[in-house]
Amino acid sequence: MKRSRLPHRLPLAMALAMGLSTLHAAEPSQVQTQHDHDAVDLDAVVVRANPLAATAEDLTRPVEVLTGERLDEAKASSLGETVNKLPGVQSSYFGPGVGRPIVRGFDGARVQVVSDGLGSGDVSTVSVDHAVSIEPFLADQIEVLKGPATLLFGSGAIGGAVNVIDGRVPEAVTEQPLQGRAELRTGSVNDEKTGMVRLDGTSASGNLVFHFDALHRETGDIDIPGQAESAWLMAEHGETPDPAEAGRLPNSFVRTDSGALGVSWVGERGFIGVGYSLFNSRYGIPGGGHVHEEEGHEEEAGHEGEEEADAHGSDVRIAMDQRRTELRAGLDDLGAFQSLRAKVARTEYTHTEYEGDAVGTVFDNDSTEARLELVHQPLAGWNGALGLQWAQREFVAVGDEAFVPGSNSRDAGLFWIGQRDVGPLKLELGARHDRSRVDVDDAVAIGPDRDFDTTSFSAGLKWEPTDPVHVMFGLDRAQRAPSAEELYSNGLHVATASLELGTPTLDVETANRAELGVHWHHGPFKASASVYHVRFDDYIYLADTGLVEHEVPVRLWTQGDARFNGAEAEASWAFADNASGQWDLRVFGDVVRAKLAGSGTREVAFTLEHEGELEELVAALPQGGNLPRIAPSRVGGELRWELGQWRASLGAVRYAEQDRVAAHERPTDGYTLVDAHVAWHVDTAGGNGLEVFVDGSNLLDEEARSHTSFLKELAPLPGRGVVVGVRAFF
């Protein structure tokens, strides 16, 4: 594929030009930072995803924030697992090495994962066995935007966005000349050993600020309650449970290394900085999650070949490596504009699938993304921000099981978002237009190159009839362009154990959302609830055709109108603050229903190669019914206690049975996960701190299978586990 070099230089030059003007500043800005371990009022945290500085409680759109000790308790080996106890947010699961956020039933290409406003640069949307290349242990703050975030992050955020703030390119001077944190932990359920360190400091001149972080994690195969294969799957295959195979999920190990170095010049009116980071992870695919076209023919090779075939599925491992360079700059007080923020990132990503010691398939993804935000002075009563975003992605897949062809994708977007107060009302309006193009390798054989124009609008209203009550109402029209894998997939997708076919003629999908929410805060009580309805035109989904080819099901990317209805609620009560300590009770719940509109079935025709010949197949696809792999409803609660240097919590989440399933999809049993946390913290002289903690998960050792997982019949969630560790703050 021919690579264009000129576009790579344009965003870099743009960021340099904007940022260099800050170098004349003489004095550093005085920004006070907060220790990572301090308790934080999450509603009062400024949301960085929004160009207009606002707290989570001030925004008219729903957002959840994790930071401080709440983030410390939630941190896990995957981003999805870290945020999955927030209302409306769950996680995908392809073994412990892979967990991507699912927001209100949306996942994959509909949920954008960004690092302080810029895309992660991985290929986690291409396949469910590809991990997110962001390390949650190194995060300062995680923000989850629920509902369409297309105004801020483009077409890939039609279902929501997760913004991870890690401070790898400093933007302000530190509170102390040198400060940081370190953590060591070990876990029982997977023999985990994790260590991380972070350092931030400011030079004696007060202008040069640096950041350094590093992390290493090793885990073995996870312990599970019972057998890896579900009782249904064993009965389906006529197998008898083998007690010797119980209690462990083979090939579920994870090895992760991550590190970053950043340096910035900070002045009175702005900053300019650069950072370099790496992320390397190796993990196994448990449960024989990958299948191969030669399976089923082991009889020809005799008993030895049969043993190899049985072991083959559990001997697949992933090695992913990412190198990322970022340049960020900011300038304040620009006359007609209050501030300017420019950022650009160049990411080089390689994902290699090993089958035993042999290389199976290699995915290369080189991307460049740039973003410019200008916050203007009040105009006709509106506070607002203009934004420009540009991205290019060069994707190549090489190997016998490369089901997606190479492609070159480009996207450019322009947006405006504004807000103003009208008496007790706060109004927010926004609009964005994107133009994207996908050029595919071998377009004659696979399908034509495609161009798309997407336009999104948003309107939000916040009304405060009384001081403790806030009522929010939102309307959105958001559009998403099809991804390259939805357009051009054409082969065996080993992760989903299916023959996956794209549709090159897919059109833009459009979501129209209406949401009503209420927030009440009075004394020790706090509660919020929201209901939403999303009407999709031309919703893109992976449909099971009911046909079988090469002993695997045939699935087709297709379109149809869809409806999503959901609700979520959360309440907390600080019911005691006395000699026994501070006591807080939190409860939450969420539910989402997703169906195709219409009724009956429709016939589609497609061609594929069968034994060297092209043949046309006709399949009946549903026009109505449930959509596949929709997250089940949940209800959960948590009791928290704090006294002096001690804090503790006990919580439980009940996942309901998911029996609203799509055609050719099996229901999933419900389960309850119980967890607990205990920590002892002491502050030492000079503002340093030390914290010892014990965390317990799945304390009932219950068999839990995630309905959103393609491996639910092969790989359950981890069993009972205890993590012991120590954190140091300095």
Side-chain angles (χ1 to χ4, degrees):
M1 181 185 302
K2 184 178 180 180
R3 300 192 177 197
S4 174
R5 298 190 177 275
L6 181 59
H8 293 168
R9 298 186 183 127
L10 287 177
L12 188 63
M14 177 182 70
L16 280 170
M18 298 299 181
L20 287 172
S21 58
T22 68
L23 295 179
H24 65 82
E27 298 296 334
S29 59
Q30 299 300 314
V31 179
Q32 298 296 315
T33 60
Q34 187 172 38
H35 290 297
D36 291 347
H37 61 279
D38 291 345
V40 178
D41 180 1
L42 298 182
D43 286 338
V45 174
V46 175
V47 177
R48 291 279 298 267
N50 194 329
L52 303 175
T55 66
E57 188 170 345
D58 290 336
L59 291 174
T60 61
R61 61 183 64 249
V63 61
E64 299 281 351
V65 178
L66 277 177
T67 191
E69 63 185 33
R70 292 295 183 97
L71 177 57
D72 282 338
E73 294 177 6
K75 285 177 178 177
S77 59
S78 71
L79 182 59
E81 187 181 354
T82 300
V83 299
N84 74 345
K85 287 186 181 178
L86 299 175
V89 186
Q90 297 193 36
S91 176
S92 67
Y93 185 72
F94 210 85
V98 182
R100 204 175 193 278
I102 298 174
V103 180
R104 292 182 168 179
F106 300 109
D107 62 354
R110 292 185 180 85
V111 175
Q112 182 80 284
V113 176
V114 295
S115 176
D116 200 2
L118 292 177
S120 58
D122 54 44
V123 294
S124 60
T125 62
V126 174
S127 178
V128 291
D129 63 331
H130 296 179
V132 176
S133 61
I134 292 179
E135 176 52 58
F137 267 73
L138 299 172
D140 296 328
Q141 180 171 312
I142 299 178
E143 305 162 354
V144 181
L145 283 69
K146 297 184 289 188
T150 51
L151 289 182
L152 299 175
F153 302 117
S155 142
I158 196 171
V162 179
N163 188 34
V164 180
I165 312 298
D166 52 29
R168 285 180 157 178
V169 178
E171 298 186 8
V173 299
T174 57
E175 184 178 355
Q176 302 294 331
L178 181 64
Q179 62 188 47
R181 61 180 292 164
E183 180 173 326
L184 291 173
R185 64 167 58 196
T186 181
S188 64
V189 75
N190 55 4
D191 296 324
E192 176 189 3
K193 295 176 180 62
T194 299
M196 65 82 66
V197 63
R198 170 174 177 160
L199 296 173
D200 296 274
T202 302
S203 67
S205 66
N207 295 109
L208 194 63
V209 187
F210 80 91
H211 167 92
F212 168 80
D213 67 56
L215 174 138
H216 175 73
R217 176 188 298 113
E218 293 185 12
T219 72
D221 292 341
I222 64 172
D223 295 336
I224 57 174
Q227 302 285 334
E229 291 188 7
S230 67
W232 170 83
L233 187 61
M234 285 189 287
E236 184 79 2
H237 293 166
E239 299 176 357
T240 302
D242 184 355
E245 296 180 355
R248 188 176 69 94
L249 183 61
N251 204 40
S252 55
F253 70 90
V254 180
R255 306 282 190 276
T256 300
D257 292 286
S258 181
L261 180 64
V263 61
S264 297
W265 182 273
V266 179
E268 186 179 51
R269 293 177 52 208
F271 75 96
I272 181 171
V274 64
Y276 180 81
S277 62
L278 62 86
F279 183 89
N280 182 280
S281 185
R282 295 174 178 266
Y283 55 91
I285 299 299
H290 285 54
V291 298
H292 304 271
E293 291 183 282
E294 65 268 19
E295 286 182 358
H297 302 293
E298 61 271 12
E299 295 177 359
E300 299 176 5
H303 182 68
E304 181 180 353
E306 182 175 344
E307 290 180 343
E308 289 181 1
D310 291 339
H312 195 54
S314 61
D315 195 25
V316 175
R317 68 185 192 277
I318 306 297
M320 56 183 291
D321 183 86
Q322 177 176 285
R323 309 299 168 99
R324 183 178 176 96
T325 303
E326 293 187 57
L327 177 66
R328 294 174 182 260
L331 186 62
D332 299 327
D333 302 327
L334 299 173
F337 296 97
Q338 296 179 8
S339 66
L340 173 151
R341 292 294 182 268
K343 56 190 78 170
V344 59
R346 173 66 178 172
T347 306
E348 297 177 348
Y349 174 98
T350 300
H351 172 112
T352 305
E353 297 182 355
Y354 289 91
E355 302 168 13
D357 294 328
V359 174
T361 307
V362 178
F363 298 86
D364 283 326
N365 191 72
D366 294 345
S367 61
T368 303
E369 183 176 355
R371 185 178 179 92
L372 181 68
E373 297 172 353
L374 282 164
V375 178
H376 61 71
Q377 300 288 356
L379 182 63
W382 288 88
N383 297 310
L386 289 166
L388 175 65
Q389 190 170 1
W390 179 93
Q392 177 169 309
R393 169 196 176 196
E394 299 172 10
F395 173 79
V396 178
V398 180
D400 293 337
E401 295 168 353
F403 71 102
V404 183
S407 61
N408 190 330
S409 303
R410 295 182 298 277
D411 182 89
L414 177 67
F415 66 89
W416 176 82
I417 185 170
Q419 60 186 31
R420 66 173 299 175
D421 294 330
V422 182
L425 302 179
K426 174 178 285 188
L427 303 178
E428 182 180 291
L429 297 176
R432 176 172 178 135
H433 181 76
D434 281 85
R435 182 163 182 81
S436 57
R437 178 176 176 83
V438 181
D439 295 329
V440 62
D441 291 353
D442 196 11
V444 175
I446 301 298
D449 299 335
R450 297 293 305 275
D451 289 290
F452 300 98
D453 287 280
T454 56
T455 303
S456 299
F457 301 99
S458 177
L461 172 68
K462 183 179 180 182
W463 175 43
E464 299 182 12
T466 62
D467 183 58
V469 178
H470 303 163
V471 179
M472 287 79 70
F473 180 69
L475 291 173
D476 297 276
R477 176 191 183 270
Q479 291 189 313
R480 182 179 76 91
S483 64
E485 53 270 23
E486 294 166 339
L487 292 167
Y488 305 118
S489 293
N490 186 30
L492 179 67
H493 188 178
V494 292
T496 60
S498 64
L499 190 63
E500 192 168 312
L501 304 176
T503 301
T505 57
L506 291 175
D507 201 356
V508 167
E509 70 176 18
T510 302
N512 298 286
R513 180 194 70 123
E515 178 166 353
L516 177 64
V518 61
H519 178 86
W520 175 65
H521 190 183
H522 180 68
F525 299 96
K526 185 185 298 184
S528 61
S530 61
V531 294
Y532 57 90
H533 173 72
V534 187
R535 300 173 64 91
F536 271 92
D537 297 330
D538 296 323
Y539 181 84
I540 301 171
Y541 66 102
L542 186 61
D544 197 322
T545 66
L547 301 175
V548 175
E549 189 76 9
H550 298 301
E551 301 185 7
V552 296
V554 178
R555 296 189 174 119
L556 178 71
W557 286 103
T558 187
Q559 288 186 298
D561 295 343
R563 305 290 182 263
F564 282 72
N565 296 288
E568 54 201 37
E570 183 178 24
S572 62
W573 176 28
F575 62 89
D577 187 358
N578 50 41
S580 67
Q582 298 177 11
W583 296 83
D584 296 88
L585 179 66
R586 169 183 173 259
V587 294
F588 75 94
D590 52 49
V591 60
V592 61
R593 298 284 183 259
K595 290 186 174 184
L596 291 168
S599 60
T601 60
R602 62 187 175 92
E603 288 189 343
V604 296
F606 52 89
T607 61
L608 52 77
E609 188 173 355
H610 179 63
E611 296 180 355
E613 297 180 0
L614 289 176
E615 62 179 27
E616 183 177 89
L617 298 179
V618 177
L621 299 182
Q623 288 183 289
N626 300 301
L627 285 167
R629 290 173 296 283
I630 296 299
S633 58
R634 302 179 301 172
V635 61
E638 180 185 49
L639 178 65
R640 298 181 64 87
W641 165 81
E642 186 172 346
L643 178 63
Q645 298 169 317
W646 291 89
R647 73 174 187 271
S649 66
L650 177 66
V653 181
R654 175 62 185 177
Y655 291 76
E657 174 190 13
Q658 181 58 287
D659 55 4
R660 299 172 183 264
V661 295
H664 312 291
E665 183 185 25
R666 277 191 49 76
T668 306
D669 293 336
Y671 52 90
T672 301
L673 298 181
V674 177
D675 64 88
H677 306 272
V678 179
W680 176 77
H681 182 91
V682 58
D683 288 318
T684 62
N688 299 328
L690 186 69
E691 184 169 284
V692 180
F693 62 92
V694 180
D695 298 335
S697 58
N698 194 6
L699 296 179
L700 300 181
D701 202 29
E702 185 163 355
E703 181 177 318
R705 298 182 183 273
S706 174
H707 184 76
T708 61
S709 173
F710 280 91
L711 294 184
K712 68 174 184 175
E713 307 294 351
L714 297 168
L717 300 179
R720 181 187 296 115
V722 177
V723 172
V724 179
V726 58
R727 301 184 183 102
F729 308 89
F730 51 89

